[in-house]
């Protein structure tokens, strides 16, 4: 039976035997956490230190990773100096807890005093796909278990309002992906931050650069595949970042990571003769940093910063990050 993409993906990813209950993300695609676990965790540790400072060193201080996959980010974290035993780590994940994980593992977002991070979570929150028909009516796209699509009912209610506000269609045949389910999921997670900062990191787009035709796709064993909601592949679509929390700061990953101390600078040449092993390690770190900062890859990801109050955003010193205006002018796509 054909159902909406949202219903189909919900079942295929998170239903009984669903993709994410049976698979570890790392086996199927590469996030920043997989590309450079140590470096990405180092940047998160630096951000956590700033939040800790802004909050006046609370005890406990939370670091909560929503959509934690295999828990790789928290596992790679070196506890920043000055935080020590005050740190409380929590992975929020629907998939099973891997063996040997030494931090809290839960399916529900706990109350947070500190930092909540969601790296590549929201692109996996199922959404509806819609298409404008020949008569100019925006209709929900239905999909069968084999991936065959057909047009269903007219888009109505809050979905129609979201479409009109964030991704209006103009011509017959145009498609859009309704981000309302992500907005709701993000708001619910961010609301759990009592004091501190919520950060969503993902590939996505903003109003003046929506991807024509949409972005829904599948991944299996490291390869992009046609999206089929049969539980054998990841189903993902880029995130409409600007609708998640209108007015919140949006920055590109390359700018954020540089501001948090990640650099792809080469080690000094003379180190090659004085300390060859150290030189090789530094070179390898440089290449991992370059992948995180790549303007045509992970560096183009968006970071959404949602502080609990304005004072925190000042203390976090967000202003020096170079903004998205330049990217829009360049017409970059993620
Ligand atoms: C693309 S993976 C990202 C994994 C990890 N954050 C990383 O960057 O490598 C998305 C993860 O979000 C999890 N997820 C999706 N919806 C969730 C929810 N409502 N609560 C907890 N985890 C969820 C999935 O099970 C999956 O492991």
């Amino acid at each position: 039976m054909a159902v909406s993409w949202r219903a189909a993906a919900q079942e295929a990813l998170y239903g009984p035997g669903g993709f994410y209950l049976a698979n570890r993300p790392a086996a199927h695609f590469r996030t920043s956490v997989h590309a450079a676990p140590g470096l990405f965790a180092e940047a998160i540790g630096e951000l956590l230190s700033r939040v800790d400072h802004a909050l006046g060193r609370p005890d406990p201080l939370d670091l909560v990773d929503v959509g934690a996959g295999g828990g790789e980010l928290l596992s790679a974290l070196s506890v920043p100096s000055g935080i020590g035993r005050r740190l409380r780590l929590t992975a929020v994940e629907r998939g099973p807890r891997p063996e040997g994980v030494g931090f809290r593992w839960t399916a529900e977002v706990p109350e947070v005093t500190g930092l909540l991070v969601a790296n590549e979570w929201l692109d996996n929150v199922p959404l509806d796909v819609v298409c404008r028909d020949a008569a100019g009516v925006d209709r929900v796209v239905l999909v069968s278990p084999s991936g065959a699509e057909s047009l269903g009912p007219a888009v109505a209610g809050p979905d129609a309002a979201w479409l009109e506000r964030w991704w209006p269609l103009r011509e017959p045949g145009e498609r859009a992906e309704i981000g309302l389910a992500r907005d709701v999921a993000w708001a619910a997670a961010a609301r759990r931050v009592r004091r501190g900062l919520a950060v969503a990191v993902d590939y996505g787009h903003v109003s003046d650069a929506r991807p024509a035709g949409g972005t829904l796709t599948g991944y299996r064993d490291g390869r992009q595949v046609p999206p089929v909601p049969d539980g054998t592949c990841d189903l993902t679509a880029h995130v409409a970042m600007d609708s998640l929390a209108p007015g919140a700061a949006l920055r590109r990953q390359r700018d954020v990571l540089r501001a948090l101390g990640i650099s792809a600078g080469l080690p000094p040449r003379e180190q090659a003769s004085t300390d060859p092993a150290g030189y090789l390690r530094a070179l390898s770190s440089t290449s991992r940093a370059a992948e995180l900062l790549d303007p045509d890859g992970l560096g183009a990801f968006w970071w959404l910063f949602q502080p609990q109050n304005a004072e925190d955003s000042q203390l976090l010193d967000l202003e020096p990050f170079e903004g998205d205006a330049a990217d829009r002018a360049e017409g970059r796509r993620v």
Side-chain angles (χ1 to χ4, degrees), residues 14 20 25 29 31-34 65-70 72 92-95 106-107 118-121 123-125 234:
Y14 308 113
Y20 274 116
F29 47 84
T31 67
S32 293
V33 177
H34 311 141
D65 183 9
V66 182
E72 293 90 347
V92 180
E93 177 50 58
R94 282 185 163 157
T106 170
N119 188 60
E120 293 204 35
W121 166 45
D123 62 275
N124 282 130
V125 172
D234 181 31

Side-chain angles (χ1 to χ4, degrees), residues 44 65 77 83 114 184 186 199 211 239 257 259 304 324:
I44 294 296
D65 183 9
L77 186 84
I83 294 180
V184 170
W186 175 247
V199 178
V239 179
L257 292 188
L304 172 93
D324 33 318

Side-chain angles (χ1 to χ4, degrees), residues 73-164:
L73 172 59
L74 297 185
S75 298
L77 186 84
S78 301
V79 180
S81 64
I83 294 180
R85 297 170 71 94
R86 287 186 295 117
L87 186 58
R88 180 168 60 185
L89 299 176
T90 306
V92 180
E93 177 50 58
R94 282 185 163 157
R97 175 196 190 108
E99 270 181 36
V101 155
F103 38 80
R104 181 162 60 154
W105 192 274
T106 170
E108 303 296 329
V109 181
E111 281 197 359
V112 181
T113 297
L115 177 60
L116 177 148
V117 179
N119 188 60
E120 293 204 35
W121 166 45
L122 292 168
D123 62 275
N124 282 130
V125 172
L127 46 53
D128 271 324
V129 178
V130 300
C131 183
R132 176 155 289 198
D133 72 9
V137 178
D138 296 336
R139 296 191 174 278
V140 178
V141 176
L142 305 181
V143 61
S144 75
S146 68
E149 290 187 342
S150 54
L151 288 189
V155 183
D159 282 349
W162 190 96
L163 198 59
E164 181 59 31

